[in-house]
Amino acid sequence: MSLTSIRNLAFSLAFGLGCGLVFCAFTLGGGHAPWPIPLPLGMLILGFSAFLFAWGRRVKAMREKDRPEKKDQRRMRRRISPLQAARVAVLAQACSRCGAWLAGFFGLCAALFWRTGETSYVREQVLAAGLAAASSAVLTWTGWVVERWCVVDSDDDGPGPQARPTVA
């Protein structure tokens, strides 16, 4: 599994923008009100981003071979197995790509909702979509960073040339 490139994130963002355009074209067609976006959605995405960051720190500590002292039992509970580290790597890659898609989708929805009217309902939807877009951008960044923390060294067993590092 290779690392997510900036180009892949740009493609995900562009795909999210396209999906947002199609969604808003159908939703706002005929002068209808914007589709309701719950305001706590941005907080939910930020919470998931914090969860991913916490698990990524555990993988980073494992990779640095951080050996806690015996008296520090709290750090012993933070140990993570290599299988869990691989799961965190897969989750980080999915979060970076999905976060980019969601950022494009909600960002375009916020921009198009903003242009449709000035009622209090529309302002709430613009705020909700804008917060979701910003939270999705944070999720993208978090996933991208955690994915780099999960890089494993190439296999030393083979006699051939060394492969470049990949995600766990």
Side-chain angles (χ1 to χ4, degrees):
M1 182 165 82
S2 63
L3 293 171
T4 301
S5 66
I6 298 296
R7 185 172 28 172
N8 282 345
L9 294 179
F11 286 145
S12 294
L13 181 72
F15 184 64
L17 287 169
C19 290
L21 184 64
V22 170
F23 174 77
C24 288
F26 284 117
T27 305
L28 300 175
H32 296 159
W35 190 269
I37 298 172
L39 190 60
L41 180 63
M43 296 305 294
L44 181 69
I45 294 171
L46 280 178
F48 195 74
S49 180
F51 172 77
L52 176 64
F53 187 79
W55 277 89
R57 294 279 303 173
R58 291 176 69 183
V59 172
K60 185 177 179 185
M62 181 195 78
R63 288 210 52 233
E64 292 173 351
K65 295 180 176 55
D66 185 19
R67 302 281 185 220
E69 299 172 7
K70 288 185 179 183
K71 63 182 177 181
D72 193 6
Q73 293 299 320
R74 189 175 71 191
R75 295 190 82 189
M76 288 297 285
R77 288 187 300 220
R78 293 186 349 168
R79 287 282 161 215
I80 190 169
S81 71
L83 181 59
Q84 288 173 324
R87 290 176 182 158
V88 171
V90 171
L91 180 65
Q93 191 170 58
C95 285
S96 66
R97 293 177 184 187
C98 290
W101 186 88
L102 287 171
F105 181 83
F106 285 123
L108 187 71
C109 285
L112 292 178
F113 288 176
W114 180 60
R115 305 223 353 115
T116 60
E118 283 299 319
T119 64
S120 63
Y121 174 74
V122 172
R123 278 180 284 203
E124 288 176 9
Q125 295 310 304
V126 169
L127 178 65
L131 286 175
S135 300
S136 298
V138 170
L139 180 65
T140 301
W141 177 81
T142 304
W144 192 77
V145 168
V146 169
E147 186 180 354
R148 265 98 187 124
W149 288 346
C150 296
V151 171
V152 295
D153 298 327
S154 62
D155 189 11
D156 295 341
D157 295 334
Q162 296 296 320
R164 46 177 227 237
T166 58
V167 177

